[in-house]
């Protein structure tokens, strides 16, 4: 395949490799956990350790966007459902705080087919 054709995953693979190098959670093969996303077309999972997580949502439908609810896995850090957690978007680069467990997201196969976040609980390493 020609890596210069539109839609090639070369840049996606580079991003995942960079995230793997920069985040220790991605180097342990025993820390994978699947978490609720309320749409069968979305795979939601994270790689967790005591300092935080790298948290993924992947759209499995290559034809249609999905707007869905999901749970932030606050329980993995011993936090209650109404707690807050710091978030860094590892695809877009921005940072923010999620408040509470329940959130919504839209993924689009042509614009944003996946989302990857670094979750840092209170007291976690930054």
């Amino acid at each position: 395949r020609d890596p210069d054709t539109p839609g090639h995953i070369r840049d996606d693979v580079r991003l995942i490799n960079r995230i793997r190098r920069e985040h220790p959670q991605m180097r342990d093969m025993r820390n994978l956990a699947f978490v609720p996303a309320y749409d069968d077309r979305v795979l939601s999972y994270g790689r967790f350790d005591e300092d935080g997580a790298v948290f993924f949502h992947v759209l499995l439908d290559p034809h249609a966007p999905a707007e869905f609810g999901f749970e932030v896995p606050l329980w993995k850090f011993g936090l209650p459902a109404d707690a807050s957690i710091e978030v860094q978007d590892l695809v877009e680069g921005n940072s923010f705080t999620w408040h509470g467990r329940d959130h919504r997201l839209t993924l689009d196969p042509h614009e944003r087919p996946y989302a990857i976040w670094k979750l840092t609980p209170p007291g976690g390493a930054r």
Side-chain angles (χ1 to χ4, degrees):
R1 294 190 82 185
D2 180 1
D4 294 322
T5 48
H8 196 279
I9 64 168
R10 175 186 58 201
D11 292 335
D12 300 306
V13 171
R14 285 185 182 141
L15 172 66
I16 294 296
N17 285 335
R18 179 181 56 79
I19 291 169
R20 186 177 295 122
R21 282 190 306 272
E22 294 175 358
H23 299 280
Q25 295 91 350
M26 296 293 292
R27 292 184 224 126
D28 184 348
M29 302 309 275
R30 300 165 293 167
N31 63 355
L32 177 69
F34 293 90
V35 297
Y38 302 112
D39 189 312
D40 291 341
R41 298 171 298 156
V42 177
L43 183 62
S44 178
Y45 62 97
R47 305 289 296 273
F48 298 88
D49 70 13
E50 61 279 351
D51 290 325
V54 178
F55 185 45
F56 298 80
H57 283 107
V58 180
L59 179 61
L60 303 174
D61 184 341
H63 304 292
E67 180 180 346
F68 59 97
F70 67 94
E71 291 184 18
V72 177
L74 298 171
W75 65 90
K76 295 294 266 180
F77 308 108
L79 298 171
D82 62 347
S84 296
I85 195 163
E86 297 302 312
V87 182
Q88 179 186 7
D89 183 330
L90 298 177
V91 178
E92 303 294 329
N94 53 349
S95 296
F96 49 93
T97 302
W98 274 335
H99 302 284
R101 180 189 65 203
D102 298 310
H103 292 268
R104 294 198 66 74
L105 179 65
T106 300
L107 294 176
D108 184 298
H110 307 292
E111 299 295 322
R112 183 177 181 159
Y114 58 85
I116 308 169
W117 296 290
K118 166 72 175 163
L119 304 181
T120 306
R126 296 199 182 267

